[in-house]
Amino acid sequence: MIPVAFIGLGTMGYPMAGHLARKGFDVTVFNRTTSKAEQWCGEYGGRRAPTPAAAARGASMVFICVGNDQDLESVILGAEGVAAGMEAGAIVVDHSTVSATLSRRLADALADLGVAFIDAPVSGGQQGAQNGQLAIMCGGDPASYERVRPVMASYARATTLMGPSGSGQLTKMVNQICVAGLVEALAEGMHFAAQAGLDVQRVIDVISQGAAASWQMVNRHKSMIAGEYEHGFAVDWMRKDLAICLEEARQRGVDLPVTALVDTFYGDVQAMGGRRWDTSSLLARLQKGNT
Ligand code: NAP
């Protein structure tokens, strides 16, 4: 089977790398915190490497899922980064959510080594990663995309090539712009329902059958009613993503008024101690009366 490497065994990367191993790929992993890589090898039986470069050596495809722009740049171009271990003809696939600007720069830097780069951010959350049901939006050259598509299928429900380098990240920005306003609207609707004396669960039961239905409504209303936010997609990560969206929009002269406002609301949630809370915690902010 094809030798592949996976860098970054966090909430998302751990189960994604697991799907590759289950499909029979010869997987070598690297994780900054070694104990997680040891745990992963114990569970899935792959190998672990001491550095990203060592993990990438001999791999024809290297998959990455780390945090932000700085993290991604260091695991690729840093002294012990994957670029130092890769051979011409190999492909790097990045599943982190980062800026399109960095994706284009990394694609250029790797092209000088004869290595292709596909930006491939994901949507579907921890649940999607665990169930192998992620939506993946990609940017890069069509021939490299066609080589990695069947491998990504190990953990994807849908993958689409959107255009050249950076197009996957631009598409992920659209996803986050749509989600930001939508979660605030859901929180406001539920807050209003409770204040109006309605049974919030019964409200959701009926309106989720109509035009207001959304993934957030279906998957998050129960935990929102219960005031449970210690799960899901962290507010810190959402603010990282919205900063990327707002900077890209600023450069292009695009107005995103609701996205900019909701970003400040997430700043309020962080100040309430909710940095790792799920993004649906906008309801907790309204309940606190912080409007
Ligand atoms: P996470 O649980 O915090 O995991 C981050 C992973 O990256 C960890 O393995 C971490 O290593 C590694 N890492 C971070 N900085 C690093 C660095 N400088 N050098 C080496 N390794 C580094 O994050 P996650 O939830 O899996 O998210 C990963 C990416 O996917 C982010 O870009 C996020 O925005 C995106 N994403 C997340 C979700 C979600 O629902 N969680 C959904 C869609 C997209 P350590 O173990 O040593 O910390």
Side-chain angles (χ1 to χ4, degrees):
M1 258 300 201
I2 312 176
V4 302
F6 204 106
I7 315 294
L9 302 173
T11 303
M12 301 296 284
Y14 192 102
M16 289 163 79
H19 285 294
L20 293 178
R22 279 213 199 97
K23 290 280 175 187
F25 291 102
D26 178 10
V27 187
T28 301
V29 296
F30 166 81
N31 195 68
R32 181 178 56 182
T33 306
T34 309
S35 55
K36 267 195 228 167
E38 285 168 351
Q39 186 189 334
W40 187 93
C41 290
E43 196 170 334
Y44 296 105
R47 277 185 309 277
R48 76 181 165 85
T51 63
R57 210 155 280 136
S60 51
M61 297 174 191
V62 175
F63 298 84
I64 303 176
C65 193
V66 294
N68 58 23
D69 277 36
Q70 267 186 326
D71 300 327
L72 180 65
E73 186 160 16
S74 72
V75 301
I76 293 183
L77 300 180
E80 295 290 342
V82 296
M86 293 188 77
E87 287 157 23
I91 307 176
V92 173
V93 178
D94 171 41
H95 290 305
S96 325
T97 304
V98 296
S99 68
T101 307
L102 177 65
S103 297
R104 285 189 287 263
R105 192 151 58 75
L106 290 172
D108 288 345
L110 290 169
D112 291 344
L113 306 171
V115 171
F117 179 82
I118 302 285
D119 50 296
V122 302
S123 177
Q126 182 176 8
Q127 209 178 330
Q130 286 169 344
N131 300 337
Q133 294 288 308
L134 293 169
I136 310 185
M137 41 222 101
C138 302
D141 75 274
S144 302
Y145 170 75
E146 283 307 326
R147 280 176 61 201
V148 296
R149 190 176 52 81
V151 185
M152 292 191 295
S154 308
Y155 42 76
R157 177 169 58 181
T159 62
T160 307
L161 180 64
M162 302 304 301
S165 281
S167 305
Q169 294 297 350
L170 290 172
T171 307
K172 175 73 183 185
M173 290 176 213
V174 178
N175 187 81
Q176 299 306 70
I177 291 164
C178 294
V179 167
L182 200 147
V183 177
E184 173 63 15
L186 175 62
E188 288 184 17
M190 291 176 67
H191 185 54
F192 173 85
Q195 298 303 307
L198 292 165
D199 179 327
V200 181
Q201 181 63 60
R202 292 186 67 212
V203 170
I204 297 293
D205 286 347
V206 64
I207 71 170
S208 64
Q209 302 305 312
S214 65
W215 185 97
Q216 297 287 341
M217 182 179 285
V218 171
N219 290 283
R220 291 289 183 259
H221 77 271
K222 280 204 188 320
S223 49
M224 289 168 81
I225 290 172
E228 286 167 6
Y229 300 112
E230 304 284 350
H231 63 95
F233 185 58
V235 167
D236 274 359
W237 278 152
M238 187 59 164
R239 285 214 87 192
K240 163 186 72 85
D241 293 1
L242 294 181
I244 291 169
C245 298
L246 293 168
E247 174 55 22
E248 185 75 37
R250 191 192 61 75
Q251 286 173 19
R252 292 175 183 269
V254 179
D255 197 18
L256 300 177
V258 172
T259 307
L261 185 61
V262 174
D263 181 50
T264 68
F265 294 168
Y266 279 124
D268 296 338
V269 175
Q270 287 175 317
M272 287 166 63
R275 298 184 57 168
R276 294 296 296 185
W277 290 353
D278 181 64
T279 47
S280 57
S281 54
L282 286 172
L283 178 59
R285 173 185 170 278
L286 291 170
Q287 288 167 335
K288 188 170 173 275
N290 192 357
T291 54

